[in-house]
Amino acid sequence: MRIIVVDNYEEMSKRAALMITSQVTLKPDSVLGLATGDTPLGMYEELVKLYNKKEVDFKEVRTFNLDEYYGLDPENPQSYYSFMNKNLFDKVDISKNNINMPDGMVKDVNDFCLLYENKIKTLGGIDMQVLGIGGNGHIGFNEPNVNFEAQTHLVNLNEQTIEANSRFFKSIEDVPVKAISMGIKTIMNSKKIILLANGLNKAEAIAKAVNGKINPSIPASILQLHNDVTIIIDKEAASLL
Ligand code: PGA
């Protein structure tokens, strides 16, 4: 694991955006694995700035998002589909046909998950996967006590995640309790991984993921076994390392 500790959120976001820009410059039709949440928001802002300065374009880029709430219409402002459109896809030249998101309204979930996995494989696998990390050590929506062998599947969100995500909803009752998420195996099959974290509330999860035993109770700890992970964190998230 390569760990880059930076001063603040802005720097974390810039570093991550530059890594994506380099990836897409070297391979214009890169398959990117993308994440939602507060953590990558600044990275998307930086990417849009770089795009506007013509330093990167997304014409041939293909994307797969990590996860989506189950039961939320894509048009719902809280869906991750809406998040991605608002913060990246609507602001750059990516082709809508090249965007892949788990479908939160799909009826046959198992069938959908298999198709999602197959599409990733057909396009040659994920070249670069961006991850945030939950305060409980989750990556994607792979909650503690995860099955390290799982591929894209339907997950039950745990209480800590529902609580953390309730800040985006009117009330905690409105937070979906299930999601479709890439599994740990899907994530581990990515060729390169960038994990971002900022703030004191991520420090414990980062310390356990980086220095703790590889353990399903800290899903991110499995990343110790991946051969190309870059962790970009601010000083606060690094404070327990
Ligand atoms: P956050 O979420 O970026 O909103 O902190 C990260 C995560 O839960 O994976």
PDB file of all heavy atoms in Angstrom, residues 43-77:
ATOM      1  N   MET A  43     -12.919  15.728  -5.330  1.00  0.00           N
ATOM      2  CA  MET A  43     -12.186  15.139  -6.460  1.00  0.00           C
ATOM      3  C   MET A  43     -12.970  15.363  -7.757  1.00  0.00           C
ATOM      4  O   MET A  43     -12.390  15.693  -8.794  1.00  0.00           O
ATOM      5  CB  MET A  43     -11.999  13.649  -6.202  1.00  0.00           C
ATOM      6  CG  MET A  43     -11.323  12.917  -7.324  1.00  0.00           C
ATOM      7  SD  MET A  43     -11.462  11.133  -7.122  1.00  0.00           S
ATOM      8  CE  MET A  43     -13.121  10.852  -7.732  1.00  0.00           C
ATOM      9  N   TYR A  44     -14.295  15.202  -7.703  1.00  0.00           N
ATOM     10  CA  TYR A  44     -15.096  15.445  -8.902  1.00  0.00           C
ATOM     11  C   TYR A  44     -15.029  16.921  -9.309  1.00  0.00           C
ATOM     12  O   TYR A  44     -14.931  17.238 -10.491  1.00  0.00           O
ATOM     13  CB  TYR A  44     -16.555  14.992  -8.688  1.00  0.00           C
ATOM     14  CG  TYR A  44     -16.679  13.483  -8.542  1.00  0.00           C
ATOM     15  CD1 TYR A  44     -17.409  12.907  -7.510  1.00  0.00           C
ATOM     16  CD2 TYR A  44     -16.047  12.631  -9.444  1.00  0.00           C
ATOM     17  CE1 TYR A  44     -17.506  11.526  -7.367  1.00  0.00           C
ATOM     18  CE2 TYR A  44     -16.129  11.252  -9.316  1.00  0.00           C
ATOM     19  CZ  TYR A  44     -16.856  10.705  -8.284  1.00  0.00           C
ATOM     20  OH  TYR A  44     -16.938   9.350  -8.150  1.00  0.00           O
ATOM     21  N   GLU A  45     -15.046  17.815  -8.317  1.00  0.00           N
ATOM     22  CA  GLU A  45     -14.922  19.250  -8.645  1.00  0.00           C
ATOM     23  C   GLU A  45     -13.608  19.511  -9.365  1.00  0.00           C
ATOM     24  O   GLU A  45     -13.564  20.250 -10.352  1.00  0.00           O
ATOM     25  CB  GLU A  45     -14.948  20.089  -7.366  1.00  0.00           C
ATOM     26  CG  GLU A  45     -16.346  20.444  -6.910  1.00  0.00           C
ATOM     27  CD  GLU A  45     -16.346  21.108  -5.547  1.00  0.00           C
ATOM     28  OE1 GLU A  45     -15.356  21.791  -5.194  1.00  0.00           O
ATOM     29  OE2 GLU A  45     -17.343  20.921  -4.827  1.00  0.00           O
ATOM     30  N   GLU A  46     -12.544  18.907  -8.866  1.00  0.00           N
ATOM     31  CA  GLU A  46     -11.223  19.094  -9.497  1.00  0.00           C
ATOM     32  C   GLU A  46     -11.212  18.515 -10.909  1.00  0.00           C
ATOM     33  O   GLU A  46     -10.650  19.103 -11.828  1.00  0.00           O
ATOM     34  CB  GLU A  46     -10.121  18.426  -8.672  1.00  0.00           C
ATOM     35  CG  GLU A  46      -9.845  19.077  -7.340  1.00  0.00           C
ATOM     36  CD  GLU A  46      -9.353  20.521  -7.455  1.00  0.00           C
ATOM     37  OE1 GLU A  46      -8.708  20.854  -8.471  1.00  0.00           O
ATOM     38  OE2 GLU A  46      -9.630  21.294  -6.537  1.00  0.00           O
ATOM     39  N   LEU A  47     -11.839  17.364 -11.072  1.00  0.00           N
ATOM     40  CA  LEU A  47     -11.873  16.739 -12.406  1.00  0.00           C
ATOM     41  C   LEU A  47     -12.623  17.628 -13.392  1.00  0.00           C
ATOM     42  O   LEU A  47     -12.218  17.761 -14.555  1.00  0.00           O
ATOM     43  CB  LEU A  47     -12.545  15.369 -12.342  1.00  0.00           C
ATOM     44  CG  LEU A  47     -11.668  14.204 -11.889  1.00  0.00           C
ATOM     45  CD1 LEU A  47     -12.503  12.945 -11.748  1.00  0.00           C
ATOM     46  CD2 LEU A  47     -10.506  13.968 -12.868  1.00  0.00           C
ATOM     47  N   VAL A  48     -13.716  18.234 -12.929  1.00  0.00           N
ATOM     48  CA  VAL A  48     -14.487  19.122 -13.812  1.00  0.00           C
ATOM     49  C   VAL A  48     -13.629  20.338 -14.185  1.00  0.00           C
ATOM     50  O   VAL A  48     -13.609  20.764 -15.345  1.00  0.00           O
ATOM     51  CB  VAL A  48     -15.830  19.534 -13.145  1.00  0.00           C
ATOM     52  CG1 VAL A  48     -16.527  20.631 -13.949  1.00  0.00           C
ATOM     53  CG2 VAL A  48     -16.741  18.319 -12.982  1.00  0.00           C
ATOM     54  N   LYS A  49     -12.873  20.852 -13.205  1.00  0.00           N
ATOM     55  CA  LYS A  49     -11.975  21.989 -13.511  1.00  0.00           C
ATOM     56  C   LYS A  49     -10.934  21.576 -14.559  1.00  0.00           C
ATOM     57  O   LYS A  49     -10.675  22.304 -15.516  1.00  0.00           O
ATOM     58  CB  LYS A  49     -11.218  22.416 -12.235  1.00  0.00           C
ATOM     59  CG  LYS A  49     -12.016  23.315 -11.313  1.00  0.00           C
ATOM     60  CD  LYS A  49     -11.085  23.828 -10.202  1.00  0.00           C
ATOM     61  CE  LYS A  49     -11.912  24.150  -8.965  1.00  0.00           C
ATOM     62  NZ  LYS A  49     -11.113  24.166  -7.727  1.00  0.00           N
ATOM     63  N   LEU A  50     -10.329  20.403 -14.370  1.00  0.00           N
ATOM     64  CA  LEU A  50      -9.316  19.936 -15.325  1.00  0.00           C
ATOM     65  C   LEU A  50      -9.928  19.725 -16.705  1.00  0.00           C
ATOM     66  O   LEU A  50      -9.322  20.034 -17.734  1.00  0.00           O
ATOM     67  CB  LEU A  50      -8.668  18.640 -14.823  1.00  0.00           C
ATOM     68  CG  LEU A  50      -7.765  18.802 -13.591  1.00  0.00           C
ATOM     69  CD1 LEU A  50      -7.450  17.458 -12.945  1.00  0.00           C
ATOM     70  CD2 LEU A  50      -6.459  19.508 -13.968  1.00  0.00           C
ATOM     71  N   TYR A  51     -11.155  19.230 -16.725  1.00  0.00           N
ATOM     72  CA  TYR A  51     -11.865  19.040 -18.003  1.00  0.00           C
ATOM     73  C   TYR A  51     -12.098  20.401 -18.672  1.00  0.00           C
ATOM     74  O   TYR A  51     -11.855  20.551 -19.884  1.00  0.00           O
ATOM     75  CB  TYR A  51     -13.195  18.321 -17.740  1.00  0.00           C
ATOM     76  CG  TYR A  51     -14.125  18.355 -18.918  1.00  0.00           C
ATOM     77  CD1 TYR A  51     -13.909  17.541 -20.031  1.00  0.00           C
ATOM     78  CD2 TYR A  51     -15.222  19.234 -18.942  1.00  0.00           C
ATOM     79  CE1 TYR A  51     -14.750  17.587 -21.129  1.00  0.00           C
ATOM     80  CE2 TYR A  51     -16.066  19.283 -20.038  1.00  0.00           C
ATOM     81  CZ  TYR A  51     -15.820  18.465 -21.128  1.00  0.00           C
ATOM     82  OH  TYR A  51     -16.655  18.524 -22.210  1.00  0.00           O
ATOM     83  N   ASN A  52     -12.523  21.386 -17.883  1.00  0.00           N
ATOM     84  CA  ASN A  52     -12.790  22.713 -18.457  1.00  0.00           C
ATOM     85  C   ASN A  52     -11.520  23.376 -18.985  1.00  0.00           C
ATOM     86  O   ASN A  52     -11.562  24.173 -19.904  1.00  0.00           O
ATOM     87  CB  ASN A  52     -13.472  23.620 -17.420  1.00  0.00           C
ATOM     88  CG  ASN A  52     -14.927  23.214 -17.211  1.00  0.00           C
ATOM     89  OD1 ASN A  52     -15.555  22.653 -18.122  1.00  0.00           O
ATOM     90  ND2 ASN A  52     -15.456  23.452 -16.033  1.00  0.00           N
ATOM     91  N   LYS A  53     -10.384  22.993 -18.380  1.00  0.00           N
ATOM     92  CA  LYS A  53      -9.092  23.526 -18.866  1.00  0.00           C
ATOM     93  C   LYS A  53      -8.523  22.665 -19.995  1.00  0.00           C
ATOM     94  O   LYS A  53      -7.370  22.827 -20.404  1.00  0.00           O
ATOM     95  CB  LYS A  53      -8.087  23.568 -17.709  1.00  0.00           C
ATOM     96  CG  LYS A  53      -8.367  24.690 -16.709  1.00  0.00           C
ATOM     97  CD  LYS A  53      -7.147  24.969 -15.836  1.00  0.00           C
ATOM     98  CE  LYS A  53      -7.182  24.128 -14.587  1.00  0.00           C
ATOM     99  NZ  LYS A  53      -6.051  24.273 -13.690  1.00  0.00           N
ATOM    100  N   LYS A  54      -9.334  21.686 -20.427  1.00  0.00           N
ATOM    101  CA  LYS A  54      -8.946  20.764 -21.513  1.00  0.00           C
ATOM    102  C   LYS A  54      -7.732  19.901 -21.147  1.00  0.00           C
ATOM    103  O   LYS A  54      -6.949  19.492 -22.004  1.00  0.00           O
ATOM    104  CB  LYS A  54      -8.699  21.516 -22.828  1.00  0.00           C
ATOM    105  CG  LYS A  54      -9.922  22.283 -23.325  1.00  0.00           C
ATOM    106  CD  LYS A  54      -9.791  22.594 -24.788  1.00  0.00           C
ATOM    107  CE  LYS A  54     -10.883  23.440 -25.369  1.00  0.00           C
ATOM    108  NZ  LYS A  54     -12.228  23.256 -24.844  1.00  0.00           N
ATOM    109  N   GLU A  55      -7.563  19.639 -19.865  1.00  0.00           N
ATOM    110  CA  GLU A  55      -6.442  18.787 -19.459  1.00  0.00           C
ATOM    111  C   GLU A  55      -6.841  17.317 -19.394  1.00  0.00           C
ATOM    112  O   GLU A  55      -6.001  16.441 -19.225  1.00  0.00           O
ATOM    113  CB  GLU A  55      -5.860  19.282 -18.137  1.00  0.00           C
ATOM    114  CG  GLU A  55      -5.118  20.587 -18.370  1.00  0.00           C
ATOM    115  CD  GLU A  55      -4.489  21.180 -17.141  1.00  0.00           C
ATOM    116  OE1 GLU A  55      -4.130  20.406 -16.239  1.00  0.00           O
ATOM    117  OE2 GLU A  55      -4.381  22.412 -17.105  1.00  0.00           O
ATOM    118  N   VAL A  56      -8.117  17.050 -19.493  1.00  0.00           N
ATOM    119  CA  VAL A  56      -8.601  15.669 -19.542  1.00  0.00           C
ATOM    120  C   VAL A  56      -9.950  15.678 -20.262  1.00  0.00           C
ATOM    121  O   VAL A  56     -10.648  16.700 -20.255  1.00  0.00           O
ATOM    122  CB  VAL A  56      -8.745  15.086 -18.108  1.00  0.00           C
ATOM    123  CG1 VAL A  56      -9.815  15.797 -17.294  1.00  0.00           C
ATOM    124  CG2 VAL A  56      -9.007  13.573 -18.116  1.00  0.00           C
ATOM    125  N   ASP A  57     -10.251  14.565 -20.929  1.00  0.00           N
ATOM    126  CA  ASP A  57     -11.620  14.442 -21.442  1.00  0.00           C
ATOM    127  C   ASP A  57     -12.109  13.018 -21.188  1.00  0.00           C
ATOM    128  O   ASP A  57     -11.318  12.128 -20.875  1.00  0.00           O
ATOM    129  CB  ASP A  57     -11.726  14.846 -22.918  1.00  0.00           C
ATOM    130  CG  ASP A  57     -11.105  13.820 -23.814  1.00  0.00           C
ATOM    131  OD1 ASP A  57     -11.662  12.718 -23.921  1.00  0.00           O
ATOM    132  OD2 ASP A  57     -10.048  14.113 -24.415  1.00  0.00           O
ATOM    133  N   PHE A  58     -13.406  12.864 -21.263  1.00  0.00           N
ATOM    134  CA  PHE A  58     -14.029  11.595 -20.862  1.00  0.00           C
ATOM    135  C   PHE A  58     -14.754  10.923 -22.024  1.00  0.00           C
ATOM    136  O   PHE A  58     -15.586  10.054 -21.815  1.00  0.00           O
ATOM    137  CB  PHE A  58     -15.002  11.863 -19.699  1.00  0.00           C
ATOM    138  CG  PHE A  58     -14.315  12.340 -18.449  1.00  0.00           C
ATOM    139  CD1 PHE A  58     -13.994  13.683 -18.279  1.00  0.00           C
ATOM    140  CD2 PHE A  58     -13.941  11.449 -17.458  1.00  0.00           C
ATOM    141  CE1 PHE A  58     -13.339  14.128 -17.132  1.00  0.00           C
ATOM    142  CE2 PHE A  58     -13.285  11.874 -16.306  1.00  0.00           C
ATOM    143  CZ  PHE A  58     -12.986  13.220 -16.150  1.00  0.00           C
ATOM    144  N   LYS A  59     -14.412  11.383 -23.238  1.00  0.00           N
ATOM    145  CA  LYS A  59     -15.118  10.913 -24.442  1.00  0.00           C
ATOM    146  C   LYS A  59     -15.222   9.396 -24.529  1.00  0.00           C
ATOM    147  O   LYS A  59     -16.247   8.855 -24.885  1.00  0.00           O
ATOM    148  CB  LYS A  59     -14.382  11.414 -25.693  1.00  0.00           C
ATOM    149  CG  LYS A  59     -14.985  12.673 -26.278  1.00  0.00           C
ATOM    150  CD  LYS A  59     -14.531  12.925 -27.697  1.00  0.00           C
ATOM    151  CE  LYS A  59     -13.157  13.515 -27.849  1.00  0.00           C
ATOM    152  NZ  LYS A  59     -12.881  14.763 -27.156  1.00  0.00           N
ATOM    153  N   GLU A  60     -14.108   8.736 -24.204  1.00  0.00           N
ATOM    154  CA  GLU A  60     -14.099   7.273 -24.372  1.00  0.00           C
ATOM    155  C   GLU A  60     -14.141   6.518 -23.050  1.00  0.00           C
ATOM    156  O   GLU A  60     -14.112   5.293 -23.029  1.00  0.00           O
ATOM    157  CB  GLU A  60     -12.826   6.861 -25.118  1.00  0.00           C
ATOM    158  CG  GLU A  60     -12.743   7.373 -26.533  1.00  0.00           C
ATOM    159  CD  GLU A  60     -11.398   6.988 -27.125  1.00  0.00           C
ATOM    160  OE1 GLU A  60     -11.075   5.801 -27.145  1.00  0.00           O
ATOM    161  OE2 GLU A  60     -10.664   7.902 -27.535  1.00  0.00           O
ATOM    162  N   VAL A  61     -14.169   7.268 -21.947  1.00  0.00           N
ATOM    163  CA  VAL A  61     -14.114   6.631 -20.622  1.00  0.00           C
ATOM    164  C   VAL A  61     -15.392   5.848 -20.350  1.00  0.00           C
ATOM    165  O   VAL A  61     -16.481   6.279 -20.717  1.00  0.00           O
ATOM    166  CB  VAL A  61     -13.909   7.726 -19.537  1.00  0.00           C
ATOM    167  CG1 VAL A  61     -14.190   7.188 -18.136  1.00  0.00           C
ATOM    168  CG2 VAL A  61     -12.514   8.307 -19.628  1.00  0.00           C
ATOM    169  N   ARG A  62     -15.238   4.672 -19.732  1.00  0.00           N
ATOM    170  CA  ARG A  62     -16.389   3.887 -19.285  1.00  0.00           C
ATOM    171  C   ARG A  62     -16.375   3.875 -17.769  1.00  0.00           C
ATOM    172  O   ARG A  62     -15.299   3.851 -17.170  1.00  0.00           O
ATOM    173  CB  ARG A  62     -16.292   2.438 -19.793  1.00  0.00           C
ATOM    174  CG  ARG A  62     -16.582   2.236 -21.270  1.00  0.00           C
ATOM    175  CD  ARG A  62     -15.438   2.499 -22.243  1.00  0.00           C
ATOM    176  NE  ARG A  62     -14.208   1.780 -22.000  1.00  0.00           N
ATOM    177  CZ  ARG A  62     -13.936   0.542 -22.457  1.00  0.00           C
ATOM    178  NH1 ARG A  62     -14.809  -0.105 -23.189  1.00  0.00           N
ATOM    179  NH2 ARG A  62     -12.774  -0.038 -22.220  1.00  0.00           N
ATOM    180  N   THR A  63     -17.528   3.917 -17.148  1.00  0.00           N
ATOM    181  CA  THR A  63     -17.566   3.948 -15.679  1.00  0.00           C
ATOM    182  C   THR A  63     -18.529   2.916 -15.110  1.00  0.00           C
ATOM    183  O   THR A  63     -19.545   2.583 -15.727  1.00  0.00           O
ATOM    184  CB  THR A  63     -18.003   5.332 -15.155  1.00  0.00           C
ATOM    185  OG1 THR A  63     -19.355   5.581 -15.575  1.00  0.00           O
ATOM    186  CG2 THR A  63     -17.105   6.447 -15.633  1.00  0.00           C
ATOM    187  N   PHE A  64     -18.179   2.452 -13.919  1.00  0.00           N
ATOM    188  CA  PHE A  64     -19.058   1.598 -13.115  1.00  0.00           C
ATOM    189  C   PHE A  64     -19.090   2.180 -11.719  1.00  0.00           C
ATOM    190  O   PHE A  64     -18.021   2.380 -11.112  1.00  0.00           O
ATOM    191  CB  PHE A  64     -18.508   0.168 -13.038  1.00  0.00           C
ATOM    192  CG  PHE A  64     -18.668  -0.600 -14.310  1.00  0.00           C
ATOM    193  CD1 PHE A  64     -17.712  -0.527 -15.306  1.00  0.00           C
ATOM    194  CD2 PHE A  64     -19.798  -1.380 -14.520  1.00  0.00           C
ATOM    195  CE1 PHE A  64     -17.861  -1.222 -16.500  1.00  0.00           C
ATOM    196  CE2 PHE A  64     -19.960  -2.084 -15.709  1.00  0.00           C
ATOM    197  CZ  PHE A  64     -18.991  -2.005 -16.695  1.00  0.00           C
ATOM    198  N   ASN A  65     -20.266   2.473 -11.222  1.00  0.00           N
ATOM    199  CA  ASN A  65     -20.317   2.932  -9.827  1.00  0.00           C
ATOM    200  C   ASN A  65     -20.359   1.763  -8.857  1.00  0.00           C
ATOM    201  O   ASN A  65     -20.840   0.679  -9.173  1.00  0.00           O
ATOM    202  CB  ASN A  65     -21.495   3.879  -9.607  1.00  0.00           C
ATOM    203  CG  ASN A  65     -21.053   5.316  -9.722  1.00  0.00           C
ATOM    204  OD1 ASN A  65     -20.795   5.786 -10.829  1.00  0.00           O
ATOM    205  ND2 ASN A  65     -20.892   5.985  -8.591  1.00  0.00           N
ATOM    206  N   LEU A  66     -19.825   2.046  -7.687  1.00  0.00           N
ATOM    207  CA  LEU A  66     -19.717   1.021  -6.640  1.00  0.00           C
ATOM    208  C   LEU A  66     -21.065   0.519  -6.145  1.00  0.00           C
ATOM    209  O   LEU A  66     -21.227  -0.657  -5.879  1.00  0.00           O
ATOM    210  CB  LEU A  66     -19.061   1.653  -5.401  1.00  0.00           C
ATOM    211  CG  LEU A  66     -17.571   1.634  -5.235  1.00  0.00           C
ATOM    212  CD1 LEU A  66     -17.239   2.428  -3.969  1.00  0.00           C
ATOM    213  CD2 LEU A  66     -17.072   0.208  -5.084  1.00  0.00           C
ATOM    214  N   ASP A  67     -22.011   1.462  -5.982  1.00  0.00           N
ATOM    215  CA  ASP A  67     -23.228   1.058  -5.271  1.00  0.00           C
ATOM    216  C   ASP A  67     -24.381   2.013  -5.554  1.00  0.00           C
ATOM    217  O   ASP A  67     -24.202   3.104  -6.126  1.00  0.00           O
ATOM    218  CB  ASP A  67     -22.966   0.961  -3.756  1.00  0.00           C
ATOM    219  CG  ASP A  67     -22.180   2.148  -3.200  1.00  0.00           C
ATOM    220  OD1 ASP A  67     -22.175   3.212  -3.853  1.00  0.00           O
ATOM    221  OD2 ASP A  67     -21.586   2.007  -2.127  1.00  0.00           O
ATOM    222  N   GLU A  68     -25.544   1.580  -5.170  1.00  0.00           N
ATOM    223  CA  GLU A  68     -26.763   2.401  -5.285  1.00  0.00           C
ATOM    224  C   GLU A  68     -27.763   1.902  -4.240  1.00  0.00           C
ATOM    225  O   GLU A  68     -27.835   0.703  -3.954  1.00  0.00           O
ATOM    226  CB  GLU A  68     -27.364   2.258  -6.690  1.00  0.00           C
ATOM    227  CG  GLU A  68     -28.681   2.992  -6.931  1.00  0.00           C
ATOM    228  CD  GLU A  68     -28.609   4.511  -6.770  1.00  0.00           C
ATOM    229  OE1 GLU A  68     -28.569   4.973  -5.614  1.00  0.00           O
ATOM    230  OE2 GLU A  68     -28.623   5.222  -7.806  1.00  0.00           O
ATOM    231  N   TYR A  69     -28.500   2.824  -3.655  1.00  0.00           N
ATOM    232  CA  TYR A  69     -29.557   2.423  -2.725  1.00  0.00           C
ATOM    233  C   TYR A  69     -30.588   1.574  -3.449  1.00  0.00           C
ATOM    234  O   TYR A  69     -30.953   1.873  -4.592  1.00  0.00           O
ATOM    235  CB  TYR A  69     -30.283   3.652  -2.189  1.00  0.00           C
ATOM    236  CG  TYR A  69     -29.469   4.488  -1.244  1.00  0.00           C
ATOM    237  CD1 TYR A  69     -29.141   5.796  -1.559  1.00  0.00           C
ATOM    238  CD2 TYR A  69     -29.051   3.974  -0.015  1.00  0.00           C
ATOM    239  CE1 TYR A  69     -28.414   6.586  -0.686  1.00  0.00           C
ATOM    240  CE2 TYR A  69     -28.320   4.765   0.866  1.00  0.00           C
ATOM    241  CZ  TYR A  69     -28.014   6.056   0.528  1.00  0.00           C
ATOM    242  OH  TYR A  69     -27.304   6.829   1.390  1.00  0.00           O
ATOM    243  N   TYR A  70     -31.071   0.541  -2.765  1.00  0.00           N
ATOM    244  CA  TYR A  70     -32.110  -0.299  -3.358  1.00  0.00           C
ATOM    245  C   TYR A  70     -33.478   0.262  -2.979  1.00  0.00           C
ATOM    246  O   TYR A  70     -33.748   0.522  -1.805  1.00  0.00           O
ATOM    247  CB  TYR A  70     -31.968  -1.743  -2.863  1.00  0.00           C
ATOM    248  CG  TYR A  70     -32.885  -2.685  -3.602  1.00  0.00           C
ATOM    249  CD1 TYR A  70     -32.779  -2.824  -4.982  1.00  0.00           C
ATOM    250  CD2 TYR A  70     -33.860  -3.407  -2.933  1.00  0.00           C
ATOM    251  CE1 TYR A  70     -33.623  -3.673  -5.676  1.00  0.00           C
ATOM    252  CE2 TYR A  70     -34.707  -4.265  -3.630  1.00  0.00           C
ATOM    253  CZ  TYR A  70     -34.581  -4.384  -4.999  1.00  0.00           C
ATOM    254  OH  TYR A  70     -35.414  -5.219  -5.700  1.00  0.00           O
ATOM    255  N   GLY A  71     -34.303   0.469  -4.009  1.00  0.00           N
ATOM    256  CA  GLY A  71     -35.648   0.994  -3.764  1.00  0.00           C
ATOM    257  C   GLY A  71     -35.748   2.487  -4.055  1.00  0.00           C
ATOM    258  O   GLY A  71     -36.824   3.057  -3.957  1.00  0.00           O
ATOM    259  N   LEU A  72     -34.625   3.120  -4.404  1.00  0.00           N
ATOM    260  CA  LEU A  72     -34.709   4.545  -4.767  1.00  0.00           C
ATOM    261  C   LEU A  72     -34.737   4.668  -6.283  1.00  0.00           C
ATOM    262  O   LEU A  72     -33.902   4.093  -6.991  1.00  0.00           O
ATOM    263  CB  LEU A  72     -33.484   5.312  -4.270  1.00  0.00           C
ATOM    264  CG  LEU A  72     -33.471   5.907  -2.868  1.00  0.00           C
ATOM    265  CD1 LEU A  72     -32.414   7.006  -2.782  1.00  0.00           C
ATOM    266  CD2 LEU A  72     -34.818   6.444  -2.445  1.00  0.00           C
ATOM    267  N   ASP A  73     -35.696   5.443  -6.741  1.00  0.00           N
ATOM    268  CA  ASP A  73     -35.787   5.742  -8.160  1.00  0.00           C
ATOM    269  C   ASP A  73     -34.526   6.523  -8.568  1.00  0.00           C
ATOM    270  O   ASP A  73     -34.076   7.380  -7.810  1.00  0.00           O
ATOM    271  CB  ASP A  73     -37.038   6.608  -8.362  1.00  0.00           C
ATOM    272  CG  ASP A  73     -37.397   6.708  -9.806  1.00  0.00           C
ATOM    273  OD1 ASP A  73     -36.701   7.448 -10.526  1.00  0.00           O
ATOM    274  OD2 ASP A  73     -38.354   6.027 -10.209  1.00  0.00           O
ATOM    275  N   PRO A  74     -33.955   6.237  -9.744  1.00  0.00           N
ATOM    276  CA  PRO A  74     -32.765   7.004 -10.149  1.00  0.00           C
ATOM    277  C   PRO A  74     -33.005   8.517 -10.151  1.00  0.00           C
ATOM    278  O   PRO A  74     -32.076   9.295  -9.912  1.00  0.00           O
ATOM    279  CB  PRO A  74     -32.476   6.514 -11.567  1.00  0.00           C
ATOM    280  CG  PRO A  74     -33.304   5.298 -11.779  1.00  0.00           C
ATOM    281  CD  PRO A  74     -34.313   5.190 -10.687  1.00  0.00           C
ATOM    282  N   GLU A  75     -34.261   8.910 -10.396  1.00  0.00           N
ATOM    283  CA  GLU A  75     -34.559  10.356 -10.440  1.00  0.00           C
ATOM    284  C   GLU A  75     -34.640  10.979  -9.047  1.00  0.00           C
ATOM    285  O   GLU A  75     -34.676  12.205  -8.905  1.00  0.00           O
ATOM    286  CB  GLU A  75     -35.877  10.629 -11.180  1.00  0.00           C
ATOM    287  CG  GLU A  75     -35.906  10.141 -12.625  1.00  0.00           C
ATOM    288  CD  GLU A  75     -34.716  10.620 -13.445  1.00  0.00           C
ATOM    289  OE1 GLU A  75     -34.290  11.771 -13.268  1.00  0.00           O
ATOM    290  OE2 GLU A  75     -34.203   9.815 -14.263  1.00  0.00           O
ATOM    291  N   ASN A  76     -34.709  10.157  -8.018  1.00  0.00           N
ATOM    292  CA  ASN A  76     -34.753  10.682  -6.648  1.00  0.00           C
ATOM    293  C   ASN A  76     -33.459  11.470  -6.381  1.00  0.00           C
ATOM    294  O   ASN A  76     -32.370  10.969  -6.659  1.00  0.00           O
ATOM    295  CB  ASN A  76     -34.867   9.497  -5.667  1.00  0.00           C
ATOM    296  CG  ASN A  76     -35.054   9.963  -4.231  1.00  0.00           C
ATOM    297  OD1 ASN A  76     -34.294  10.779  -3.725  1.00  0.00           O
ATOM    298  ND2 ASN A  76     -36.072   9.436  -3.595  1.00  0.00           N
ATOM    299  N   PRO A  77     -33.556  12.696  -5.864  1.00  0.00           N
ATOM    300  CA  PRO A  77     -32.331  13.495  -5.678  1.00  0.00           C
ATOM    301  C   PRO A  77     -31.308  12.831  -4.759  1.00  0.00           C
ATOM    302  O   PRO A  77     -30.121  13.161  -4.813  1.00  0.00           O
ATOM    303  CB  PRO A  77     -32.833  14.810  -5.066  1.00  0.00           C
ATOM    304  CG  PRO A  77     -34.314  14.729  -4.996  1.00  0.00           C
ATOM    305  CD  PRO A  77     -34.787  13.400  -5.509  1.00  0.00           C
TER     306      PRO A  77
END
